[in-house]
Structure formats: structure tokens, C-alpha cells
Amino acid sequence: MTSQDIRNKFLNFFEGKKHLIVPSAPMVLKDDPTLMFVNSGMAPFKEYFLGNAEPKQNRIADSQKCLRVSGKHNDLEEVGYDTYHHTLFEMLGNWSFGDYFKREAIAWAWELLTEVYGINKDILYVTVFEGSDDADNLKMDQEAYDLWKTFIPEDRILKGNKKDNFWEMGEQGPCGPCSEIHVDIRCAEEKAKVDGKSLVNMDHPQVVEIWNLVFMQYNRKANGSLESLPNKHIDTGMGFERLCMVLQGVQSNYNTDVFTPIIREVEAITNKDYGKDEKVDVAIRVISDHVRAVAFSIADGQLPSNTGAGYVIRRILRRAVRYGFTFLDKKEPFIYRLVDVLSKKMGTAFPELKAQKQLIENVIKEEEASFLRTLEQGLILLNRIVEETKGNTVSGEKAFELYDTYGFPIDLTALILSEKNLKLDEKGFEKHLQVQKDRSRKASEMSTDDWTILIDDAEQEFIGYDALESNVKITRYRKVSSKKDGDMYQLVFNLTPFYAEGGGQVGDKGYLQDVHGDTIYIVDTKKENNVIIHFTKSLPEHINETFKAVVDAKQRYRTECNHTATHLLHQALREVLGTHVEQKGSAVHSKYLRFDFSHFSKLTIEELRDVENFVNSRIEGKLPLEEKRNVPKDEAIADGAMSLFGEKYGDAVRTIRFGQSIELCGGTHVKNTGDIWHFKITSEGAVAAGIRRIEAITNDAVKDFYFENNRAYFEMRDLLNNSKEPIKALKSLQAENADLKKQIENLLKDKAKNIKGELKSELTEINGVKFLAKKLDLDAGGIKDVCFELGSQFDNLFLLFGAEHNGKAVLSCYISKELVASKDLNAGAIVRELGKYIQGGGGGQPFFATAGGKHPAGIEEALNAGKAYIE
Ligand code: ATP
Ligand code: MG
């Protein structure tokens, strides 16, 4: 059975059980402060479990892209070394939101595995929660036990503890017992030796968990206690790659058709074989795994970068590059070449891969190249460190510096050192690393109090598309403290006109006012799990009263101008440059807008003009806003709306149309493009391979821009004596300047010539050496000229010159080559020695060397010492 069939069978099976099949949600999360990437199938449905939103359908099934590389679930270091943990993997899941419960979940899981997929019952084990005698005092999950025993002999039902069999979403929220299904795919011989039961949950590579069925029946309250949920839910997650391993009768996820095409390609590119040498195998697994994680992230709009989610992606890719570099001898980019097979293999199930293939390749290639340069640079530095190391241990501090400043990975340092028979002071390294970690943790330390609930269960309503002020009640609040922002308060209202940061648009600012006239400023608005949170520096005194909440209208209006202009800019770019242009990120502020998009070359001045003209013509056309709320996503796409990454099933989509520009967008906009007044691009440049960035301004900011430019222009004219043609005047100034430079150069040359004449007559002969030591009024270049000029005229020459420049001293020493040979003299060693007198040092070649120092008064002494030396 191919992996494609296996995935389809899962989805078809649950479709047959009346589930709605939805595509995977994006893996990169934008509006969740607690999570960067989707790390389990349930993450996209979190709001339904938390009760913040209602699903349209109470049975859903899907295959969700998951990434486990940070936070609570982090499998990164395992990947490559074992055969069944990946960074990116697919989690097949079926969901019941308050609909069916344990009976159906267990029966269907069994039916699917044993009847549809035909897995032999004798290789399966299941687990149930054994109960806990801690504060929760939970009973064993007898219900699940009894259900399982109708399918499987009781000696294959194992009891598990809280760690393995009680699932919690977080500190608070829905939770419950779970049942895991494990497979034992060892050969008969092995099975005879060790009982499979004893290997369940013991990290055995052939006795692995494939499916986890979570029965959400409790809610963990803020005070830590559990209450029964009125609506019980089912959340299941089955590892797709592990399922393929079982069904394809292989012993490793990497031997399934999910991975073999990629592995074959790595073999072809690197000329190495998989399965011969464990080190090579680990590297090949790492690379085959990581290219998927990186490619899917880029397709989801997350490019490698220096912070946050982007940094996580960068680190994954660098890990792959490093393994290729060290174990597969790949010193040039090659991982990007795997994207082709990957998109052929997965492009049907995940069309975003196919659509963005070219971009993914470009970005990966560029990242690889730049990291390989870092590695090369790091190797040079490491060699220097090795040279300077006395004894056989390289200090932890040096290794840390290499790691911290140059991004040179520590394991690579250790490996290279071990090849040179050197040791690394790992403890010292760890110490420095810890100091740095503590420092950054302290800087970002944040404490969050529990919510204080004032009004329970109040549904929050957003009215900010239609109103900028309204009467509101505060339903809950909490304090958050951090070093960076000090104490802040987060307030939630029953309804709010404040737009929360999202979709690139900044959050609203404004104020709250009570009937006593007290005012509290709202400094920012953000969203957390769909709840709109208002930030203030203090708490209102009469917190239970009704407040007037007022949005800063001016800031909102300017932001709206920029947001609408962003849509027009997107449309303009596709019109002027082509439909390969896709949005890759945007930031809509009140003062400016920023738009990142895929395109392969710098925009010409004409293209920029065409883009500006296009947008401005739409502004002049006074196009009205046509807004549709709560449209099904498919309908919106059919209308021609441009779908950006970021939506998932169930998102309330809203379409924003101005003329021919239609986009899915949750942001706020002007009522008419005419309100924007004018659009001006202020900069265009590259952000990453194949990604360009435009920054632009609208409305008042354009007026300021022209005013400031005009001011600069007039100031320049002033400086140019009020010239009517400032450019001409500037050009003639430049020409004059160049002329003067030439003249000075010539004068200096003449001077040097004269000096040479004088110097010839000053040469004295000491012990067969033509000698001169003197202080000159020439720059370093001039002195060098003089030395070589005299050197071409005389044999057996020894020259020592001093000069003073900007308070610094320079010594230059020239020795004829035959002297160097016959008398074993070395100008480099001599200036190094004489450098003492001018409090500095230097070096060079045996026949010419210079030293610099900060003590010009020592020049005479140095010259005398030189003379004494020759004498
Ligand atoms: P394990 O103990 O094997 O790491 P888990 O307890 O972390 O698994 P769950 O969080 O219950 O797993 O996830 C549900 C299913 O997803 C697992 O049964 C497994 O099949 C699969 N899975 C989990 N982590 C990974 C991973 N890193 N790579 C591939 N599949 C995974
Ligand atoms: Mg795990």
C-alpha cells in the first residue's frame, strides 16, 4: 500500500463515519503567544476545546502537518539517530466536539487498523489510564478498559500512569485520560526472546506507539482542580509515517515510500550509500527529514531568519547542512536539490509545496551557501585558536566565542578538535553558555497572574469594523510583569471597538473613561486564542463600572490608509511584475507599510514608477470598499479572493474588495481608496533569496516626506550659494575637488623626488653597509616609494625612516636583498624590536617592514638604536 493510499484510506474511512474532511491547517502559527508551530493535530482546534469558538461541524478528520522542534514537544535531537521520530510529520486525526465519545472512538480505531488496513491483531497492544492517588485522585479508566476488552485479550491491555496516559493541553483547560495503541513489529525470533509487553513505552525502535486516543472529559481550572466537562470531546492522533512503516512491512520510517525517494536522491547527489555506515546513515536521515520541515515551513510563509519561528527553521536547516558537511563531504549547497523529489512526492496532498517550489529552492540554496561560508570562516578561526592553544585542551571560552559570535556549532568544534587530537573544555563552554542563557532569560522573564473574573462567561464581541467607541464592561483582568515593560495589565471587555494586532496590522491604541472622568490609556491591543486583550499601565479604580472605550481615531485612520494601500500594492505588483508575486509577509503601521513578496530581481526604477502609478490611479479612481463578512472560504476563493497562507478550516473569512483587488482579510480599511490621498514607495530591497521588500507611505506621511525632501533640497541650494542649478553646481564642485586632489598628489610626488636627491647625499658607509636613519616628513606610501627607489640605485643599503602622522609614529625599515642574505638581517625582526621605542609593534618581510606606535617622541631613540645596531 503506498503512503498516498494509506492517507486516503484514513480520510475515506472517517468520511464514511460522517466526518467532515478538512485540509491540514498551516503549520506556522501567527496569533498564539504560547506556541510557534502546530505540534499536534489538536492545536488548530484549540479554540473549540477551550470554548472560545464553535465548530461548524462536530465531527472532523484530517492529516495535520506537525513540527516538534521547540517547547513542550521537542524531538530534534532524536531525529536521525532513531528511526521513528521526525521533526515534521503528519498526524492523522479524528475529532468529536461534544459528539461521540469513547465507545465509537475505540471501536472505529480498531476497525480501521485491523479490518481496513488489515493489521494483525497479535502485534497490537493498548494502554489505559491506571488512575492517580495524587491531589486529583482519579479512578482508573474502567470504561475504556471494558470497551477494549471486547476487541483484544486482556493481557494485551496495559495500564499506564499519568505521564503516559493522562493528557493535558496546558496548565489550564480541557484534559482527560487517553488510550495509546502500540505495535510490535519485531521478528518472531526476537519476540520469542523478550515479551513485547515489557517493551511498550520503553523506547524500543520496533515496539512503538502509533495512535493516541484522548478522551477529554475534564477541565483543569486555574486553581488546579478538575471539573467534569459538560461536553466531552475526542481528540486522536496517529503518526502517519509510523503507520506506513507498519503497513509497508519495514523496520524504519525511513524505509517507507515517504522517505525512500528523498534518500535515493541524497545518495545520487553525494555518492554515498545508505545502509553501509551508521554515521553516513544518520546524516542521510537527518537531511531527508530536515528538508521536509524546512520546505513545508517556507511554503507556509515562514522563512529562515534571526528570531522566533524563523530562527528555529534556520537552526533545523543548519543542522542538516552540518551533517552533510561533516559526514557526506558536501561543501557546497545541495539540500535545495531535494525539493524537486519532495514536491513530486507530497505535492498532491500538499499543493502549497508544488506552488512554491521555486521559492523554496531559492531560499534553501541561499541559506545553505551563507551557512557554508560561516563554516569556512569558522574553520579558519578555529585553526587560529588551535595554533594559539598551549597544551592539548582548547578553552571553553574560545569555543563559546566561536559559537556565539560566528555561529560555529559546538559539536563541529569538538569533532574537528578530536581529529587533531585536541580536547575541548566542554565544562567551560557550558558555563559560558549558561551565563548567556541566564542573561537572556532574565531579560525576557515574565510573570503572569491568574485572571480575575469580574463577569463570568461573557461572550466577547468585536465591533471595531463599524464603531470606534462604545460603552463596555470589563469582564476579566490580570497583571503581567516583565523586565522589559514593567507591570502591565491585560483587560478583557464584553465587547470592544479595539482591533487586536493581527494579519500584519498593528493593534489599536486609545483610552477608557469612566463617569467620574478618570481616564486610563490603552497602549496596545493583542489577541490570544481569539480573545481580544487590551493593555494598560494601571487598573481603573472603578473597575466594575461601565466605561466609554475610545479608539485613537487618527492612528486607526492612518493605519487603514496603509492597509488598503497594501492590498492595492499587492495587486499592482502582480500586474506589473507577474502573477509569481506572492505575499510573504506584511506590516501595516500607522506611519508606514511594509510588504514582502516573492520576486527574483531588483525592481527597476521604471517598474517602481509603474507600481506607484498603478496604486495611485486606484486611489484617484475613488473605489469604494466592498466588504463581505462570514463568507465560506471556498466561496471567497471562487470570487477570486487571493488566499494567503494563514487561514485554516473554520476561520470566519471576510473579503475586502476595492475594484479588482479582492483579498481575504480580517483587518480594517478606509471606506474609499480616495481617502488614502497618495501612495509613495520609500524603499525597495532584498530580504532573502527570492524575497523583496517594499516600504511605502500614504496620506499625511507623504506630505511630510515631500516637505522633508524639499527642506533638504533648499538647504543644499543654500549651501551652494543659492545656485539656480544645484546639480550643475554640485558637479562642478566635485570636479574642482578631483582637480585639487590631483594637484596635491603631484606636489607630494615632487617633494618625494627632492627628498630622494637629498637623502642620496646623506648615505654613510658603516661596515660596508650604506646606511641612513632619519625622520622624514612623508606619509607611509611616500616613504615606501623612497625606499624602493633608492634600493634600485644602490646595493648593500640599510634604511631606517621614522615619520609622524596624526599623533602616531611609523617606522619603516628597508634592507637590500643581498644584505639580507649575506648578513642574515631581517627587517621584520628589526622593526618589531624597535617598535618598543614608539610603544607599538609591527612586522613584514625580511627586506621591508614597518611598525606603528602611539609614541612619536620615541622615534629619535628608535633611529639611534638602529644606528647602534649596524655599528
Ligand atoms: P513518542 O512517545 O513516541 O514520542 P508521543 O507520546 O510524543 O510519542 P503523541 O504526542 O501522543 O506522541 O502523538 C500522537 C502520535 O503522533 C504518536 O502516537 C506517534 O505515532 C506520532 N508521533 C509523535 N511524535 C512523533 C514524531 N516526532 N515523529 C513522528 N511521529 C510522531
Ligand atoms: Mg514524544
Side-chain angles (χ1 to χ4, degrees), residues 68 73 75 85:
R68 292 197 165 176
H73 290 292
D75 294 335
H85 279 100

Side-chain angles (χ1 to χ4, degrees), residues 68 72-75 78 85 89 209 242:
R68 292 197 165 176
K72 180 179 158 206
H73 290 292
N74 187 347
D75 294 335
E78 252 79 55
H85 279 100
F89 63 100
E209 176 192 328
R242 292 186 193 178

